[in-house]
Amino acid sequence: MRAAAGRKTDPDIAVAAMRAAGLEPLEPYATSVTAWRCRCTTCGNEVSPTLMKIRAGGGCKFCATHGIDLSGPSKVYVITHQEWKAVKIGIGACTGYTSRLIQHERQGWQLHQARDYTTGAAAYDVEQAVLGHLHQAGLIPFLTSDIMPNGWTETCSAARITAAEVWAMVDEETRSAEKPYAPRTGGRPRAAVLIDAEAAAAEMRACGYEPLVPYPGRTNATWPSRCMTCGHEGRPTFNAVRNAGQRCRVCRAKETQAKRAATNAPKAQETMRAAGLQPLEPYPGSQTPWRCRCTTCGRETSPTYSNVNSGSKGCRFCALNSATDERASAEVRAAGFEPLEPYPGRTTDRWRCRCSCGNEVMTRLSSVRSGTTGCKKCPRSGGRTDPATAAAEARAAGFEPLEPYPGKTTDRWRCRCRCSTAITLTLTSIRGGRTACGTCSRGATR
């Protein structure tokens, strides 16, 4: 029952409201927004809520089923963040997967020091006293809610106060505490609706999850479980699985891919057949190799639908990206090599062969196809400059070749200068304007 607007609440009505909430007043009623010292009839602790909070649904802070457990074990911690150059003080039970301290560590905070207390109330008093000193000194808050949504009001600048100095305040407030709070016997009170742990586990299994740890105690707490279909380990909440039908994200992704593949399969098969490939298995997806048979050469090949659809040739054998042992051997023999071992399987693999000059070399089918012999003892063929043309250019510059043209313009070539000095040079230097050796140049200088 609430008083009419503009009128003060009757003290008898206020006392009745507090007793209905399980609180026995220890002093006369003042106003609805004034802290009212009472004793909880459930746990026996003294608390000082306001009548306004009681009317809004509040009660004894020690018997609360949410927030910090003031009657259970807790700790005060001081943490630092190097990147943000910040120091923070906080309290909490710091246990379980939803621990606030663990959440801070995931954001880059590092623990400086922590102390355990028998009750959360004792830890809360110490924290509030330290925060009061920091607030009076104008040190808090330092970070904003945009940077740190949870706990930004308890942060300080590390440039103005160190973690050790904050911890010294914690030590001082702990020593000056008036009296310890009595811890609660037994577990923390639960909400009105309790969930049986075995029934919750059975319900999770019925939804396709095998719990890896016991029921965490709350429907909205993460519950590490393993998907009974694909084996993926996740952390769904019991509330999401029970009410929203949340399923394994890996299974959902696979189902989405399967639906997409079923929709695109007719078009993909038509595209592959148009490229001369007959699929030998169902459409696996655009990026997965698809086993097909080439209708031109009859060989099996495994291109991806993405590559074929973008215009590339589907059959690697017809595109000369690969070859059989007979075809590869015939190609290297035509280039003057005799294979000394079977074809390794890919055009870029090193292949031990013997050159027509008798030299044993390691070449590649791709090199043979590009015109490079790979034999250093033989004049290189397939270059852009003909050996006769190269010799004519050397003679025109005043150099007489003493050996055949090596094949590349950057290869060193032994020649004789017009002054009869034997030198080594490159066709590139001749084309760059070289017409004399070092001996001729020094003589011209003198």
Side-chain angles (χ1 to χ4, degrees):
M1 178 177 179
R2 300 186 63 177
R7 295 180 58 186
K8 186 177 180 180
T9 304
D10 189 330
D12 294 336
I13 296 177
V15 171
M18 297 301 277
R19 287 174 177 162
L23 300 172
E24 182 63 34
L26 300 178
E27 60 186 8
Y29 168 71
T31 66
S32 61
V33 294
T34 303
W36 194 357
R37 194 164 59 90
C38 303
R39 186 177 301 281
C40 176
T41 58
T42 302
C43 64
N45 286 307
E46 279 193 16
V47 292
S48 298
T50 64
L51 180 61
M52 181 178 292
K53 290 185 177 180
I54 296 301
R55 285 173 170 172
C60 175
K61 62 182 181 180
F62 294 94
C63 298
T65 59
H66 59 278
I68 299 174
D69 186 4
L70 298 180
S71 295
S74 185
K75 65 174 60 179
V76 174
Y77 57 84
V78 173
I79 54 180
T80 60
H81 201 293
Q82 294 183 356
E83 180 181 354
W84 295 339
K85 296 180 175 56
V87 180
K88 171 179 166 50
I89 182 174
I91 65 172
C94 303
T95 58
Y97 291 96
T98 57
S99 165
R100 180 64 62 86
L101 183 56
I102 294 179
Q103 294 175 2
H104 291 328
E105 290 177 348
R106 290 171 182 165
Q107 294 180 340
W109 292 90
Q110 296 179 347
L111 179 64
H112 172 72
Q113 205 159 349
R115 172 172 292 142
D116 292 325
Y117 294 82
T118 56
T119 62
Y124 178 78
D125 288 346
V126 171
E127 181 206 33
Q128 292 302 308
V130 173
L131 290 176
H133 296 317
L134 296 175
H135 191 274
Q136 290 178 0
L139 298 176
I140 58 172
F142 172 59
L143 300 178
T144 63
S145 58
D146 296 335
I147 299 176
M148 186 181 182
N150 296 323
W152 63 277
T153 57
E154 296 92 16
T155 58
C156 311
S157 172
R160 300 185 60 186
I161 188 170
T162 65
E165 291 173 333
V166 176
W167 189 253
M169 295 183 183
V170 174
D171 286 336
E172 179 62 27
E173 293 301 331
T174 302
R175 286 192 296 267
S176 61
E178 295 182 359
K179 60 178 180 179
Y181 292 87
R184 180 189 58 248
T185 57
R188 186 180 188 182
R190 298 295 183 184
V193 179
L194 299 179
I195 302 295
D196 182 72
E198 295 183 1
E203 195 166 343
M204 290 288 284
R205 294 188 185 97
C207 294
Y209 288 98
E210 179 62 35
L212 301 178
V213 297
Y215 176 58
R218 293 185 295 132
T219 59
N220 61 345
T222 56
W223 195 353
S225 305
R226 179 184 292 111
C227 176
M228 299 171 65
T229 303
C230 67
H232 173 73
E233 292 186 6
R235 293 171 58 186
T237 65
F238 180 56
N239 190 42
V241 174
R242 168 191 251 187
N243 299 326
Q246 179 179 338
R247 298 174 55 249
C248 172
R249 61 181 180 86
V250 175
C251 292
R252 294 199 308 268
K254 289 181 178 179
E255 289 181 3
T256 302
Q257 293 175 358
K259 291 179 180 179
R260 188 181 298 116
T263 303
N264 298 335
K267 179 183 176 181
Q269 292 177 355
E270 182 179 350
T271 302
M272 299 298 276
R273 292 191 180 99
L277 300 169
Q278 180 60 40
L280 300 178
E281 60 185 5
Y283 174 57
S286 61
Q287 303 295 333
T288 305
W290 193 358
R291 194 165 59 89
C292 302
R293 187 177 301 280
C294 178
T295 56
T296 303
C297 65
R299 296 187 179 93
E300 282 192 13
T301 183
S302 298
T304 63
Y305 168 65
S306 178
N307 289 339
V308 175
N309 191 43
S310 63
S312 65
K313 292 186 178 180
C315 179
R316 59 175 183 165
F317 298 98
C318 297
L320 296 180
N321 292 330
S322 184
T324 61
D325 183 68
E326 295 80 4
R327 181 171 182 171
S329 300
E331 290 188 47
V332 296
R333 288 192 180 99
F337 295 96
E338 182 61 33
L340 299 179
E341 61 184 7
Y343 174 55
R346 294 185 301 178
T347 59
T348 56
D349 289 340
R350 294 173 63 84
W351 194 2
R352 191 164 60 90
C353 301
R354 178 172 285 109
C355 180
S356 56
C357 68
N359 184 37
E360 188 174 307
V361 298
M362 296 295 292
T363 187
R364 296 178 176 87
L365 182 58
S366 60
S367 301
V368 173
R369 286 176 173 176
S370 65
T372 305
T373 63
C375 180
K376 295 182 179 180
K377 293 186 178 181
C378 295
R380 300 186 182 181
S381 61
R384 296 182 178 180
T385 304
D386 182 73
T389 303
E393 290 186 46
R395 292 189 180 97
F399 301 101
E400 180 63 32
L402 298 179
E403 62 182 9
Y405 173 57
K408 292 178 62 178
T409 61
T410 55
D411 287 343
R412 299 181 65 81
W413 192 8
R414 195 162 60 88
C415 301
R416 179 176 285 110
C417 180
R418 59 172 57 90
C419 67
S420 300
T421 303
I423 61 173
T424 57
L425 43 70
T426 64
L427 184 58
T428 299
S429 64
I430 294 175
R431 290 177 173 176
R434 183 173 183 180
T435 58
C437 65
T439 304
C440 297
S441 299
R442 287 191 294 273
T445 301
R446 289 195 295 271

